[in-house]
Amino acid sequence: CGGGGQGSRSRMEAVFKGSLQNVNLKQYSRCIKVFLSATPSDTILERAALKSDAIPELQAYCKQHGLDFQLVDMHHEWLTDSCTDHTTAGRRLQELRDCYNVSCGPFFVSIIGDRYGDCPLPQHINEIEFCHVRDTAVQLGKDVSLLEEWYVKDENAVPPEYVLQPIEAKLPHYSDRSEENEELMDHYHKVWLNTFNALQDLLYKSAQAAHQRRTISTKQLSKYQLSGVEAEVLEALSLDTEPSKNCVFFLRTLDGLSKSLTDPSAKNFT
């Protein structure tokens, strides 16, 4: 009994110091907080229907039982695109973990459509892994100057790592929405899009070759090839011991889509 009391006091002291580590928030929670994972470009109508029809009913139902229902959809802001903000993928995974830690019920819903989704650039790469990927790129005859420009070694990290630099550090007017710099912002957006595509292609092919040569592991390779949605699905499944109860998946298929690929609107769903 005394041991339990000491443990409780230690946890309470940690909470007062701002640390929630090893504290099971679920047992005190009256909140059902659900993270929504979906490729934004081809689930606009589905997410809108959720918010207008399903969510109000769920909130009313939960309220009747003394619960608070919350849906976390991080696609409503223009800055949530992982192509335009390096921190997006990491922030989304952290928000997913927060939903898991807080929710006293289901914590994850995914709408899986026909688009695989964008593969974000890894924000942090271990020094040894980065060197293997870069050296492989050189052996493949690729130009690594762009890679070395945008990924800078952080000597203070333990272990040392290479960090993708903020867009604004290289393209100062990238986020400048002032009227006088509108043309500069448009120009830098085009520059970054080309840079993003070049880095993505270089890392994808070089990491794949490094994996074939067994200089990086399958787990390391995944960060260069997984879309944001697949990474979120895998994270959710790894967090929960009963994913069949607490994770919900909607598989959305469009009949006849394969026969309508010449339709201009089909590009939004493939």
Side-chain angles (χ1 to χ4, degrees), residues 78-79 84 167-168 171-178 185 188-189:
W78 70 277
L79 281 177
T84 59
I167 300 175
E168 290 82 357
L171 307 173
H173 291 285
Y174 180 83
S175 299
D176 188 349
R177 290 175 167 267
S178 60
M185 187 189 75
Y188 282 133
H189 269 253

Side-chain angles (χ1 to χ4, degrees), residues 41-42 115 252 254 257 260-270:
S41 57
D42 72 339
R115 296 194 88 170
R252 197 283 321 275
L254 299 176
L257 180 61
S260 306
L261 296 180
T262 55
D263 188 317
S265 62
K267 66 181 181 180
N268 296 322
F269 303 96
T270 57

Side-chain angles (χ1 to χ4, degrees), residues 134 136-149 198-199 201-203 206:
R134 182 190 56 197
T136 301
V138 172
Q139 293 165 11
L140 293 174
K142 297 184 179 295
D143 182 1
V144 296
S145 58
L146 203 60
L147 186 66
E148 294 175 335
E149 177 186 356
L199 284 171
D201 182 70
L202 176 64
L203 286 171
S206 302

Side-chain angles (χ1 to χ4, degrees), residues 38-110:
T39 303
S41 57
D42 72 339
T43 57
I44 296 174
L45 296 178
E46 288 81 2
R47 289 186 292 112
L50 269 179
K51 293 176 184 177
S52 63
D53 301 332
I55 301 307
E57 288 192 22
L58 285 169
Q59 289 174 331
Y61 179 82
C62 288
K63 188 175 182 180
Q64 292 175 357
H65 294 80
L67 299 170
D68 176 35
F69 182 89
Q70 299 177 20
L71 180 74
V72 177
D73 181 6
M74 296 180 67
H75 289 307
H76 68 283
E77 299 175 358
W78 70 277
L79 281 177
T80 56
D81 185 352
S82 59
C83 172
T84 59
D85 184 356
H86 306 328
T87 65
T88 296
R91 286 190 291 109
R92 288 181 59 81
L93 288 175
Q94 184 55 56
E95 187 62 43
L96 192 165
R97 297 183 195 108
D98 290 344
C99 289
Y100 168 74
N101 290 327
V102 170
S103 184
C104 62
F107 71 96
F108 184 79
V109 170
S110 182

